Amino acid sequence: MADRLSARAAIAVVTDDFTELPYPERPSAPDGPLGWPGYDAARARAAERTGERESVICGTAVVEGTRAVVVAFEFGFLGGSLGERTGDRLEAAYVHARAHRLPVVPLVATGGSRMQEGMLALTQLQRVARESALTRQAGLPQIAVVRDPTTGGGWATLGAGADVVLALPDAQVGFAGSRVRPADADPAAYTARAQVAAGAADALVRPEDLRETLGRWLRLLTRPATAPAPPPHALGAAGPPAAGWDAVRRARAPERPRAAAYLDAYFTDRVTLSGDRCGGTDPDGMLCGFGEHEGRTVAYAAQTGTATRPAGYRTAARLVRLADRLGIPVLTLVDTPGAANDAEAERQGVGAAIADLFGAVAVARTPVTTLVVGEGGSGGALALAAPGNTWVTPNSYFSVIAPELAAAILKRPPDAVRTTADQLRVRPQDLVALGVVRGVVGPAGAGAPPG
């Protein structure tokens, strides 16, 4: 079990500058709205023990240079539970955030809704969800830090409902609290590590790294821009391939630079968005996040050269939608032989996942730029490509189908694959001539990438 910091100690971890907001005053009947025997006494003991009047404190703070609204739960006050007065405070904090165009940072540690207030406590989750949704619609980021423990409705609203979820490594995190889950349940499933592995949280962050990490996220997510991201320079580039099969061989060469090399060269700083929020991750097939390029923020979704899994497509769609809401331009790197086509991929809904990404890119209002850095394998690659703003490197190809599969479908002999590749017109220069892509980018030093 992680050390349970008080709300104010948790705030002190991320900022030295915290100004508490004024709180709404709500009249209360003796022992609360249900007349629960001993409720007033329990609240009095909690106040004496913690020095707080409620289970959450709210205010504004500067986190590594970015001002934000910070809400911190006091677990020592009735288990950080949500009641009507908690809802009042949270609503006021979100209203303040929208009025002053500030991001919201919930530091969550809660056991759920307050039993002594019954359904009136549970319905506070609807209030919180509405405030979060309105803040999302306003284009303001929400970055949650889930502490120990984060369970019940607090996890299902302020935690899992945030745009980005950072988790303290040893925290208990899950919808079911320790006293209500099945007796034979695996406790490892209710941890921060399990939530990151399942794609429900983005990263584990040690307390000593939290201020810097949160500051990087806030800085990157609060810098909208309207101009498209320029395509990266080509890495390891050569002259144009002579034949279609030459283009395919170059793109498949093991030594060819991959997504990580392109991201390292393009960004001076970047943070990782992980997980599809549906129970899956694809760390080996899709890299997503936000980075700094020439002083501004660019979101990225990059295929790594392997077959992309359904969770990878869903994570990329999540990235595009978040960047669109925040007004941040997107860079996508295409490099895959195609979508994963095994039975497990079908069970995980690969077709629906690809459709979701096609839709996210199609309706994005923020500009999307695409560079094909290797293999462009059919619809599994095209889903990530920006219509009208896709570029290619000299060591890439894009095809409706792999030449080997095309030859097999056409019942051609194996030695006809080279001819088939030529007929498919997959070379970078062919793609330009066909009007499928805007151009071929060159290496650094050969002029600035086209804008």
Side-chain angles (χ1 to χ4, degrees):
M1 181 178 294
D3 292 335
R4 288 177 178 166
L5 296 177
S6 69
R8 295 186 189 273
I11 291 171
V13 168
V14 300
T15 182
D16 298 319
D17 170 19
F18 179 74
T19 303
E20 204 160 350
L21 292 170
Y23 299 122
E25 290 294 333
R26 173 189 289 266
S28 179
D31 282 330
L34 304 186
W36 188 282
Y39 182 36
D40 283 347
R43 284 191 293 191
R45 289 192 298 271
E48 182 178 3
R49 182 170 56 250
T50 64
E52 307 295 344
R53 295 179 58 198
E54 249 305 328
S55 60
V56 67
I57 59 176
C58 309
T60 60
V62 176
V63 182
E64 295 288 278
T66 302
R67 182 162 290 280
V69 167
V70 177
V71 299
F73 279 77
E74 175 52 71
F75 190 78
F77 194 103
L78 300 181
S81 56
L82 281 79
E84 288 185 302
R85 289 179 176 176
T86 323
D88 292 341
R89 291 188 175 200
L90 291 170
E91 181 178 58
Y94 275 92
V95 169
H96 183 89
R98 293 195 298 275
H100 296 272
R101 303 294 303 166
L102 296 177
V104 180
V105 179
L107 307 176
V108 190
T110 173
S113 301
R114 195 168 298 171
M115 291 181 300
Q116 295 93 332
E117 296 187 21
M119 279 300 297
L120 292 174
L122 188 64
T123 57
Q124 301 310 303
L125 301 179
Q126 293 174 320
R127 291 180 73 187
V128 172
R130 173 175 170 77
E131 293 304 318
S132 178
L134 292 173
T135 304
R136 188 176 300 113
Q137 290 176 0
L140 299 170
Q142 300 169 69
I143 305 174
V145 177
V146 291
R147 301 151 52 212
D148 183 60
T150 298
T151 62
W155 166 237
T157 52
L158 290 158
D163 298 314
V164 177
V165 181
L166 308 177
L168 298 186
D170 297 323
Q172 176 191 173
V173 182
F175 184 67
S178 59
R179 296 183 182 181
V180 297
R181 65 183 67 137
D184 60 349
D186 178 7
Y190 303 85
T191 64
R193 296 179 190 277
Q195 298 298 343
V196 171
D202 291 286
L204 298 173
V205 183
R206 298 181 304 174
E208 58 267 33
D209 299 328
L210 186 56
R211 181 181 297 206
E212 178 187 359
T213 301
L214 188 55
R216 292 169 68 198
W217 273 105
L218 286 168
R219 183 178 69 255
L220 289 169
L221 296 190
T222 54
R223 297 191 301 190
T226 57
H233 292 289
L235 301 179
W245 188 244
D246 293 331
V248 174
R249 289 176 58 196
R250 280 192 194 181
R252 293 177 179 175
E255 67 274 12
R256 173 183 56 77
R258 307 287 164 146
Y262 274 92
L263 296 176
D264 285 343
Y266 193 79
F267 293 112
T268 54
D269 182 34
R270 68 181 195 266
V271 291
T272 300
L273 194 81
S274 176
D276 63 2
R277 297 298 186 262
C278 299
T281 61
D282 186 18
D284 297 325
M286 185 76 76
L287 306 177
C288 295
F290 293 82
E292 182 173 311
H293 175 73
E294 296 182 348
R296 67 182 183 134
T297 301
V298 175
Y300 65 86
Q303 291 171 316
T304 64
T306 65
T308 307
R309 309 288 312 172
Y313 290 114
R314 285 191 285 262
T315 304
R318 175 189 164 212
L319 180 281
V320 171
R321 291 191 175 103
L322 176 55
D324 191 40
R325 288 202 309 269
L326 301 179
I328 295 172
V330 178
L331 170 70
T332 65
L333 301 181
V334 168
D335 187 8
T336 181
N341 58 6
D342 54 85
E344 184 59 28
E346 293 295 343
R347 283 191 286 266
Q348 294 172 0
V350 63
I354 294 173
D356 189 41
L357 179 55
F358 266 121
V361 172
V363 301
R365 296 158 298 178
T366 197
V368 181
T369 303
T370 298
L371 179 63
V372 185
V373 301
E375 292 193 81
S378 193
L382 188 65
L384 204 60
N389 196 25
T390 291
W391 305 80
V392 291
T393 68
N395 292 335
S396 67
Y397 80 92
F398 217 144
S399 180
V400 64
I401 191 173
E404 300 94 327
L405 297 178
I409 290 172
L410 295 171
K411 298 182 180 180
R412 293 178 175 179
D415 59 6
V417 170
R418 294 172 179 264
T419 302
T420 303
D422 286 334
Q423 290 178 313
L424 287 169
R425 300 189 66 184
V426 300
R427 301 176 304 169
Q429 60 266 42
D430 294 327
L431 299 170
V432 175
L434 290 169
V436 175
V437 302
R438 289 184 62 179
V440 182
V441 301

